[in-house]
Structures are given as C-alpha cells and as structure tokens.
Amino acid sequence: MANRTLIVYPNKNLMLQAGAQRLVLALLDALNERLADDSHRARVDVALSGGSAAQPLGLVLSDPLADSIDWSRVHFWFSDERFVPAYDTDRNALEARRLLLDRLVAEGKLPEANIHEMPADTRSVDEIATVMANAESSDADVRTAADTDNATLLDAAAREYEQELIREMGPEPVFDLMILGMGPDGHYASLFPASSGHHEVDVTDRLTVGVSHSPKMPPLRISLTSPLIARSRHTWFFAAGAGKADSLAHVFVRPNNPEYPSSYAGGTEEFVWFSTEETVTKL
C-alpha cells in the first residue's frame, strides 16, 4: 500500500481548484502513460463520490489542458449512491452529470455508455412513501416487513452493479482513481460507523453492498465495499471544515477503525488527503 500523504490548503476554495487541476493532470498522465509493451492504456476507470469530493468536477473544463483529454477512454463509476428515484437530486450521479459529465456527453466527447450509474429505486412515489412510513412503524411486524422489502431491493441493486463491475473490469476490478470525501462522523462512501449500527465496512466477500437505515438521509444507499476501495491505484480524499477535525484525527491515528470507517481506505500507488487548515487542528 502507498504511504498516506497529507496536503493542507489555506481554504476549501483553493483545495477544490487544486483538486480540479490535479484531476486533469492525472487523467492526462494515465491516458498517455507508456506501458511495458510500448502501448497506452485502453481505458481509465474513475470512481466519483458526492459532496465536497464532487465539487472539483465543476472546475475541470476551465483548465485548458482538459481539451487534450481523450474522454472516450475514461469510464466514470460511483463509490456510493443514494437509492432514490433516478430523477431525485439526492443522487450523486445527477450532481456529477450537472457539474461535468452531461456537458461532455452533449459535446460528443464522452460516450453515455462510459457513465456507470448505480441502480435507482424504480418504485412509485406512493410505494416509497408507504414503505418508508412502515419502516418507522411502532408495529414490529410492519417494520420488519418494510425492512425486508428494502433490504431485498438494495441487495438486488448492489449485485447488479457488482456484475457490471465484473463485466467491465474483470472478477477483481481495480480503479485507476478513487475520489472520496469524509463525513463529520468519519464515514466514507456510504460506509458508516459501527456505533450507528452499521457494519458494512467489514464486508469482505462482496464488491458492493446495500445500506439501509443510514444515519444520514436518505436512508437507503448502495456502496462499494472497503476492500475494493482500498485496492484502487490512486485514492484521493477531500476533507474540509472544522466539523471534521475530530474524525480526521481519529482516522489518522488508527487504521481499520470501524468507528471511523475512512480509516479503512488506501491506495496501492498513491494515497492523498487534501484538507484545509481548520480541519487538521487536532492532528
């Protein structure tokens, strides 16, 4: 595994601008790397996240070097997704599309097939509302039935994405670049602390996993598993804000701590945390 590197910027805005430029250069480097057989990579696979980690995407096309990227060889995936309808603005995929991907598609630079979204909830609005209400019912039988319905759907959706990963990248997929953010509680992707009743970060026999009763809304999610994330060639974390200082300190002190899931992450060739002065005060 690569050693962890910490880069601290004076403020979040500068961190995001630097992140956008780094992304452009990373894609250019990966696409133009000369391999041992004197060829170039046929494709580069990038996993995106939401929140602060997605914001550099909106700055990518302002870099003149972005015009030199062969976007047709770049495939975009997602580290996690909110299991809501496809049109719901909570979806990480919609945010990534708004910030960058849809423009690339519209300009004919990025094939739509290169955007690998996680499955969406296809139930009607009324069906979702009923199941969610039942999941909070005081009646244990009603609550159990709703949880079972949700868990079945989540597992099927997670397995569908797992099969897409295998079809595209083989039985042991490896991402070229994983872009992540950390929540104030130390979660990453949709892998939450054990103290919130979640143990998905310890799942090792799957590529993807369903997450229900998320402590952060919306409650239903799909996530890549920690082993898949950890074997990414290059892994970047974006963490800004004083509210994340405590969690960052715990993440850096002890690896593989289920109370601070971000401590499970890593990269085989590069592992970088991009942060701000106010976020590293407790290191």
Coordinates of all heavy atoms in Angstrom, one line a residue, residues 123 126-150 213 219-220:
R123 N -39.5 2.2 -7.7 CA -40.8 2.2 -7.2 C -41.5 3.5 -7.3 O -40.8 4.6 -7.5 CB -40.8 1.8 -5.7 CG -40.4 0.4 -5.4 CD -40.2 0.1 -3.9 NE -39.1 0.9 -3.3 CZ -38.7 0.7 -2.1 NH1 -39.3 -0.2 -1.3 NH2 -37.7 1.4 -1.6
D126 N -45.6 6.9 -4.3 CA -46.5 6.4 -3.2 C -46.0 5.1 -2.6 O -46.1 5.0 -1.4 CB -47.9 6.2 -3.8 CG -48.6 7.5 -4.1 OD1 -48.2 8.5 -3.6 OD2 -49.6 7.4 -4.9
E127 N -45.4 4.2 -3.4 CA -44.9 3.0 -2.9 C -43.7 3.3 -1.9 O -43.6 2.7 -0.8 CB -44.4 2.1 -4.0 CG -45.5 1.4 -4.8 CD -45.0 0.6 -6.0 OE1 -44.1 1.1 -6.6 OE2 -45.5 -0.5 -6.2
I128 N -42.8 4.2 -2.3 CA -41.7 4.5 -1.5 C -42.2 5.1 -0.2 O -41.7 4.8 0.9 CB -40.7 5.5 -2.2 CG1 -40.1 4.7 -3.4 CG2 -39.7 6.0 -1.3 CD1 -39.3 5.6 -4.3
A129 N -43.1 6.1 -0.3 CA -43.6 6.7 1.0 C -44.2 5.7 1.9 O -44.0 5.8 3.1 CB -44.6 7.8 0.6
T130 N -45.0 4.8 1.4 CA -45.6 3.8 2.2 C -44.6 2.9 2.9 O -44.7 2.6 4.2 CB -46.6 2.9 1.4 OG1 -47.6 3.7 0.9 CG2 -47.2 1.8 2.3
V131 N -43.6 2.4 2.2 CA -42.6 1.5 2.8 C -41.8 2.3 3.8 O -41.5 1.7 4.9 CB -41.7 0.9 1.6 CG1 -40.5 0.2 2.3 CG2 -42.5 0.0 0.8
M132 N -41.4 3.5 3.5 CA -40.6 4.3 4.5 C -41.4 4.6 5.7 O -40.8 4.5 6.8 CB -40.1 5.6 3.8 CG -39.1 5.4 2.7 SD -37.8 4.3 3.2 CE -36.7 4.3 1.8
A133 N -42.7 4.8 5.6 CA -43.5 5.0 6.8 C -43.6 3.8 7.6 O -43.5 3.8 8.8 CB -44.9 5.5 6.4
N134 N -43.8 2.6 6.9 CA -43.8 1.4 7.6 C -42.5 1.0 8.3 O -42.5 0.3 9.3 CB -44.2 0.2 6.6 CG -45.7 0.3 6.2 OD1 -46.5 1.0 6.8 ND2 -46.0 -0.3 5.1
A135 N -41.4 1.4 7.7 CA -40.1 1.1 8.3 C -39.9 1.8 9.6 O -39.0 1.4 10.4 CB -39.0 1.5 7.3
E136 N -40.7 2.9 9.9 CA -40.7 3.6 11.2 C -41.9 3.3 12.0 O -42.1 3.9 13.1 CB -40.6 5.1 10.9 CG -39.4 5.5 10.0 CD -38.1 5.2 10.7 OE1 -38.0 5.3 11.9 OE2 -37.1 4.9 9.9
S137 N -42.6 2.3 11.7 CA -43.8 1.9 12.4 C -43.5 1.4 13.8 O -42.5 0.8 14.1 CB -44.6 0.8 11.6 OG -45.7 0.4 12.4
S138 N -44.5 1.6 14.7 CA -44.3 1.1 16.1 C -44.7 -0.4 16.1 O -44.4 -1.1 17.1 CB -45.3 1.9 17.0 OG -46.6 1.8 16.6
D139 N -45.3 -0.9 15.1 CA -45.7 -2.3 15.0 C -44.5 -3.1 14.4 O -44.0 -2.8 13.3 CB -46.9 -2.4 14.0 CG -47.4 -3.9 14.0 OD1 -46.6 -4.8 13.9 OD2 -48.6 -4.0 14.0
A140 N -43.9 -3.9 15.2 CA -42.7 -4.7 14.9 C -42.9 -5.5 13.6 O -41.9 -5.6 12.8 CB -42.3 -5.6 16.0
D141 N -44.0 -6.1 13.4 CA -44.2 -6.9 12.2 C -44.2 -6.0 11.0 O -43.7 -6.4 9.9 CB -45.5 -7.7 12.3 CG -45.5 -8.8 13.4 OD1 -44.4 -9.2 13.7 OD2 -46.6 -9.2 13.9
V142 N -44.9 -4.9 11.0 CA -45.0 -4.0 9.9 C -43.6 -3.5 9.6 O -43.1 -3.4 8.4 CB -45.9 -2.8 10.2 CG1 -45.8 -1.7 9.1 CG2 -47.3 -3.3 10.3
R143 N -42.8 -3.1 10.6 CA -41.5 -2.6 10.5 C -40.5 -3.6 9.8 O -39.8 -3.3 8.9 CB -40.9 -2.1 11.8 CG -39.6 -1.4 11.8 CD -39.3 -0.7 13.1 NE -39.2 -1.7 14.2 CZ -40.0 -1.8 15.2 NH1 -41.1 -1.0 15.3 NH2 -39.8 -2.7 16.1
T144 N -40.7 -4.9 10.3 CA -39.8 -6.0 9.8 C -40.1 -6.2 8.3 O -39.2 -6.4 7.5 CB -40.0 -7.2 10.6 OG1 -39.6 -7.0 12.0 CG2 -39.2 -8.4 10.0
A145 N -41.4 -6.2 8.0 CA -41.8 -6.5 6.6 C -41.2 -5.4 5.7 O -40.7 -5.6 4.6 CB -43.3 -6.5 6.5
A146 N -41.3 -4.1 6.1 CA -40.8 -3.0 5.3 C -39.3 -3.1 5.2 O -38.7 -2.9 4.1 CB -41.2 -1.7 5.9
D147 N -38.6 -3.4 6.3 CA -37.1 -3.6 6.2 C -36.7 -4.7 5.3 O -35.7 -4.6 4.6 CB -36.6 -3.8 7.6 CG -36.6 -2.6 8.5 OD1 -36.6 -1.5 7.9 OD2 -36.5 -2.7 9.7
T148 N -37.5 -5.8 5.3 CA -37.2 -6.9 4.4 C -37.4 -6.5 2.9 O -36.5 -6.8 2.1 CB -38.1 -8.1 4.7 OG1 -37.9 -8.5 6.1 CG2 -37.8 -9.3 3.8
D149 N -38.4 -5.8 2.6 CA -38.6 -5.3 1.3 C -37.5 -4.4 0.8 O -36.9 -4.6 -0.3 CB -39.9 -4.5 1.2 CG -41.2 -5.4 1.2 OD1 -41.0 -6.6 1.1 OD2 -42.3 -4.9 1.4
N150 N -37.1 -3.5 1.7 CA -36.0 -2.6 1.3 C -34.7 -3.3 1.2 O -33.9 -3.1 0.2 CB -35.8 -1.5 2.4 CG -36.9 -0.4 2.3 OD1 -37.4 -0.1 1.2 ND2 -37.2 0.2 3.4
H213 N -31.3 2.2 6.6 CA -31.3 3.0 7.9 C -30.0 3.8 8.0 O -29.4 3.8 9.1 CB -31.5 2.1 9.1 CG -32.8 1.4 9.1 ND1 -34.0 2.1 9.4 CD2 -33.2 0.1 8.9 CE1 -35.0 1.3 9.4 NE2 -34.6 0.1 9.0
P219 N -32.2 7.3 3.7 CA -31.8 6.1 4.5 C -31.4 4.9 3.7 O -30.7 4.0 4.3 CB -33.1 5.8 5.2 CG -34.2 6.4 4.3 CD -33.6 7.6 3.7
L220 N -31.7 4.8 2.4 CA -31.3 3.7 1.6 C -30.2 4.0 0.7 O -30.2 5.0 -0.1 CB -32.5 3.2 0.8 CG -33.7 2.8 1.6 CD1 -34.8 2.2 0.6 CD2 -33.4 1.8 2.7

